[in-house]
C-alpha cells in the first residue's frame, strides 16, 4: 500500500490552456501572413487584375497591328501606307515638308 501523497500544483492546470492559446496564435499568425493567407489572396487578386489590364492593352495593340497588316495584304497597296513606309525607311523628304519626330505608337 502506497502512502505517498501528491501535491496539487496550480501550474499544471494552466499548461493545457496555455498550449491551446499558443497553438491558436500560431494558426492565426499563419492565416494572416503565410503563403496561402488572406493577404496573399488579396495580392493574387490584385495581380490578376493588373494582368487583365495588361492583356487588354496587348489585345488593342495586336488589333492595331492586324489592321496595318491587312492594309498591305489586300492585294492592292494603299498609297498612303506605301508613301509612309518608303519615307520612313529611306529617310526621304520633299523640300516643302516639315518633319515632326514622334515615338511610334504601334
Amino acid at each position: 500500500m502506497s502512502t505517498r501523497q501528491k501535491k496539487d500544483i496550480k501550474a499544471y492546470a494552466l499548461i493545457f490552456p496555455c498550449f491551446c492559446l499558443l497553438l491558436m496564435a500560431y494558426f492565426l499568425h499563419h492565416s494572416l501572413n503565410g503563403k496561402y493567407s488572406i493577404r496573399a489572396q488579396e495580392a493574387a487578386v490584385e495581380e490578376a487584375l493588373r494582368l487583365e489590364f495588361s492583356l487588354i492593352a496587348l489585345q488593342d495593340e495586336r488589333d492595331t497591328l492586324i489592321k496595318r497588316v491587312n492594309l498591305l495584304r489586300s492585294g492592292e497597296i494603299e498609297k498612303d501606307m506605301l508613301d509612309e513606309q518608303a519615307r520612313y525607311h529611306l529617310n526621304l523628304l520633299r523640300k516643302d515638308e516639315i518633319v515632326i519626330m514622334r515615338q511610334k505608337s504601334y
Side-chain angles (χ1 to χ4, degrees):
M1 203 183 231
S2 176
T3 60
R4 293 176 100 186
Q5 298 198 4
K6 295 182 181 177
K7 288 184 180 181
D8 287 334
I9 299 175
K10 293 183 180 180
Y12 287 141
L14 295 176
I15 290 176
F16 185 70
C18 287
F19 176 74
C20 289
L21 283 175
L22 288 173
L23 193 62
M24 286 173 40
Y26 172 80
F27 284 118
L28 179 65
H29 170 73
H30 285 285
S31 70
L32 293 175
N33 299 319
K35 185 177 179 181
Y36 301 106
S37 67
I38 296 169
R39 292 181 185 149
Q41 288 176 355
E42 290 173 355
V45 168
E46 289 176 5
E47 179 73 10
L49 188 62
R50 185 186 65 78
L51 289 173
E52 284 181 21
F53 284 124
S54 176
L55 176 65
I56 291 170
L58 289 173
Q59 286 174 340
D60 289 343
E61 182 179 346
R62 181 175 178 254
D63 291 341
T64 303
L65 290 173
I66 287 173
K67 287 177 187 175
R68 289 181 60 89
V69 167
N70 286 337
L71 287 175
L72 294 173
R73 277 194 192 162
S74 66
E76 200 177 290
I77 296 177
E78 295 273 333
K79 290 182 181 180
D80 291 337
M81 182 74 105
L82 177 63
D83 187 48
E84 175 188 342
Q85 292 298 319
R87 288 171 184 266
Y88 176 74
H89 290 292
L90 298 175
N91 293 324
L92 294 176
L93 293 181
R94 291 188 199 128
K95 292 181 181 178
D96 60 344
E97 291 180 335
I98 298 174
V99 176
I100 301 173
M101 302 299 283
R102 305 185 325 178
Q103 195 174 28
K104 278 199 169 195
S105 62
Y106 59 91

